[in-house]
Amino acid sequence: WCPKLQLNEVDRALKRGAQAAGSEAAPILNTVTTRSTPPTYHRTNTLTKGYQAIIDAYGVASYQEINPAIFTIITFPFLFGIMFGDIGHGLIMFLAGLYLVLKENYFSKRLKSYEEIFLMMYHGRYIIMMNGLFAVYAGFLYNDIFSLSLNIFGSSCSLPTLLNTRRTLLTTSIPMPYTVWILRDRNIQETLISLE
């Protein structure tokens, strides 16, 4: 099987191979019609190759189906950023991925001399870079840098204004995903339940 767009390339390669071997017989390339389903082929480049590998790990799409790797290029880093939202750690990931992308030509000439763990990072350089970028973005939304609170945008929580000098705030944990906040006063007891 060969992609239609690469038939001329295959023909030239066969002719070069015959000349290099010193063969007097000219190679013949024929297009054969068949009823069998061709294998799936997804053309990739350096950006899409890593995402295509992730998709292929789950399963290869059938012939003429939509390639889900196209959607993964944005959704995978976005969901990673939501999970790992931290400005500092995301910036380190982004800079590491950016370094590997900018030094792509330098590393590609020496790939055989590197260990397996570096090769895994090198082949996933665009994934690392984009995951870091989205982690920085989500870190700004979460006000989080190196797992420390960063109050850039201020807080919209008005609970401290509910408290006065005579009230105290008690927090009780329930074995459910809730936190119960009990505001106690001499005569009033209010209960606020918030989902965590």
Side-chain angles (χ1 to χ4, degrees):
W1 293 98
C2 171
K4 287 181 182 178
L5 297 175
Q6 294 177 339
L7 280 174
N8 292 333
E9 210 174 305
V10 170
D11 189 39
R12 285 193 302 269
L14 287 172
K15 288 177 183 173
R16 279 195 313 268
Q19 286 176 350
S23 174
E24 293 181 17
I28 300 171
L29 178 65
N30 288 329
T31 303
V32 179
T33 55
T34 180
R35 292 180 186 253
S36 62
T37 305
T40 302
Y41 172 72
H42 297 296
R43 187 179 328 212
T44 59
N45 57 28
T46 55
L47 172 65
T48 60
K49 189 174 186 179
Y51 294 103
Q52 189 64 52
I54 292 172
I55 294 299
D56 290 345
Y58 288 100
V60 179
S62 298
Y63 180 65
Q64 291 186 338
E65 281 186 346
I66 294 176
N67 184 8
I70 296 166
F71 306 106
T72 308
I73 293 171
I74 292 298
T75 57
F76 185 81
F78 177 72
L79 291 174
F80 179 85
I82 289 173
M83 175 197 71
F84 190 74
D86 188 294
I87 298 168
H89 294 113
L91 188 62
I92 290 172
M93 282 184 64
F94 174 74
L95 292 175
L98 183 64
Y99 177 76
L100 291 173
V101 168
L102 293 176
K103 295 289 189 173
E104 188 172 321
N105 291 333
Y106 173 79
F107 291 123
S108 65
K109 295 174 185 173
R110 298 162 178 79
L111 282 181
K112 294 187 179 186
S113 64
Y114 295 121
E115 296 292 325
E116 183 179 358
I117 191 74
F118 178 79
L119 291 175
M120 192 182 329
M121 288 190 311
Y122 174 76
H123 292 302
R125 61 196 175 275
Y126 286 98
I127 296 173
I128 293 170
M129 184 181 71
M130 291 183 66
N131 283 356
L133 182 68
F134 279 89
V136 169
Y137 170 71
F140 274 111
L141 295 179
Y142 300 155
N143 285 332
D144 198 33
I145 182 165
F146 292 116
S147 298
L148 299 172
S149 180
L150 180 69
N151 195 359
I152 297 174
F153 306 111
S155 177
S156 62
C157 180
S158 61
L159 185 61
T161 60
L162 294 175
L163 301 176
N164 57 29
T165 56
R166 296 184 313 189
R167 292 184 178 183
T168 57
L169 177 67
L170 303 174
T171 305
T172 344
S173 295
I174 297 177
M176 296 291 287
Y178 305 117
T179 299
V180 176
W181 299 23
I182 303 171
L183 299 173
R184 295 195 182 224
D185 198 343
R186 291 183 198 159
N187 300 322
I188 304 171
Q189 180 173 345
E190 303 171 37
T191 303
L192 303 170
I193 298 177
S194 66
L195 293 172
E196 288 190 22

